[in-house]
Amino acid sequence: MSKIVIAGNWKMKKGLEDIRAFCKAIVSSLMARDMAGVMPILAPSYPFLDLMQGELKGSPVKIAAQDVSSHPAGAFTGEVSAAMLSSLGLEYSIVGHSERRAHHDESNELVREKLLMLMDNGIKPILCIGETLLQRDGGSTKEVILEQLDGCLRNVNIYNAENIMIAYEPVWAIGTGRTATGEQAQEVHRIIRSWLNNTYNQAIADEIVILYGGSVKPENLAGLLAMPDIDGGLIGGASLQADKYLKMIDIALESRK
Ligand code: 13P
């Protein structure tokens, strides 16, 4: 059984002092817990990746980037390459978040290029997919999910299930307070697993960590984790407060008992 992943995506919401205070608030309590069954991940903005690795050194927290350039190097002002992230020793990066797709017109093809760039540099992508409200109401959720999986993972070799995570984040549930029910999320997670089985094999399908994201908070996490195909959360708002983040870690630990 893989670990439950409690990943915080801080988006563009935390600056230096706030981050220092957060790390201070969680580090000793995390070190005091037996974290065998749970993997905490936090994704700050680029300038704080290295700082956070230092602040949380020795703790079980893995630090992730929120995005990466699709280019290897060169004249791309403002971009950050996978090699640069790798040189910091990062193990994970979010890619294809719906906010990037919506505000920066990222296509499945571009997300695929970024994902390959990460993998080539030894960084594990956390690939985000999910339908909009219009698509759900129009009955095309399954079609959209399959199109995103086909587009982002076309001819991508996944030799080891640990090399990638998938995050199902219905766009209508992000930052809206409107969470998918456990059953709604489970239905899509099952679709993702069966696509993985058809495309790769049963072992990959069984072992790949599939996170749910969209208004996850301490109050609804246990219900989501009770679903057979939900392996953790990719959490925005509720991951910004140290006490809530620790509470979600405890809920995940409890769910493993
Ligand atoms: P919220 O938890 O704030 O809805 O954000 C989810 C998200 O976008 C995580 O990547």
Side-chain angles (χ1 to χ4, degrees):
M1 199 182 198
S2 51
K3 291 189 182 200
I4 292 181
V5 174
I6 299 295
N9 173 10
W10 284 351
K11 310 190 178 184
M12 201 172 69
K13 296 192 176 183
K14 263 195 192 298
L16 182 59
E17 288 316 316
D18 199 5
I19 288 181
R20 283 215 173 103
F22 186 105
C23 292
K24 205 161 169 233
I26 64 163
V27 73
S28 50
S29 31
L30 283 186
M31 305 256 248
R33 287 166 168 81
D34 173 6
M35 295 286 289
V38 174
M39 185 199 290
I41 299 181
L42 287 169
S45 300
Y46 287 137
F48 310 115
L49 289 167
D50 195 37
L51 170 103
M52 274 191 72
Q53 296 205 112
E55 299 272 323
L56 296 174
K57 202 171 177 171
S59 87
V61 182
K62 309 272 188 197
I63 308 301
Q66 297 177 10
D67 188 31
V68 68
S69 174
S70 62
H71 303 285
F76 299 101
T77 303
E79 301 229 353
V80 174
S81 72
M84 290 171 182
L85 298 178
S86 170
S87 71
L88 293 178
L90 287 194
E91 269 183 75
Y92 295 94
S93 177
I94 295 169
V95 70
H97 193 279
S98 62
E99 286 151 16
R100 304 265 346 147
R101 293 175 188 260
H103 305 313
H104 301 271
D105 277 336
E106 293 199 5
S107 62
N108 288 326
E109 184 52 36
L110 180 67
V111 173
R112 177 176 176 277
E113 284 170 22
K114 291 184 170 197
L115 182 140
L116 286 171
M117 205 48 93
L118 288 170
M119 290 177 110
D120 282 352
N121 283 276
I123 299 175
K124 298 163 186 164
I126 303 172
L127 168 65
C128 300
I129 56 173
E131 81 288 0
T132 63
L133 187 57
L134 206 66
Q135 290 164 333
R136 173 159 284 261
D137 289 347
S140 57
T141 298
K142 181 172 181 184
E143 193 185 317
V144 171
I145 294 300
L146 295 180
E147 194 179 294
Q148 289 175 334
L149 288 168
D150 279 330
C152 299
L153 292 173
R154 185 172 40 84
N155 296 333
V156 173
N157 284 319
I158 301 175
Y159 300 107
N160 183 337
E162 284 185 7
N163 289 348
I164 186 167
M165 292 185 200
I166 295 175
Y168 168 55
E169 298 207 312
V171 179
W172 48 272
I174 295 179
T176 58
R178 197 182 147 187
T179 327
T181 62
E183 289 72 21
Q184 280 173 321
Q186 167 60 26
E187 197 183 337
V188 177
H189 282 228
R190 182 104 299 265
I191 291 169
I192 297 169
R193 264 196 227 287
S194 91
W195 182 89
L196 290 167
N197 184 22
N198 294 336
T199 310
Y200 298 99
N201 57 54
Q202 185 73 51
I204 294 272
D206 288 346
E207 286 162 30
I208 282 192
V209 167
I210 308 180
L211 308 177
Y212 167 77
S215 299
V216 176
K217 52 190 177 203
E219 293 76 14
N220 58 27
L221 181 62
L224 290 159
L225 293 180
M227 295 294 145
D229 290 303
I230 300 183
D231 305 314
L234 181 55
I235 305 149
S239 74
L240 294 167
Q241 287 162 264
D243 57 341
K244 282 195 182 171
Y245 187 67
L246 287 173
K247 176 96 191 124
M248 290 188 285
I249 301 270
D250 284 338
I251 291 167
L253 285 168
E254 192 61 33
S255 79
R256 296 311 300 267
K257 285 186 184 158

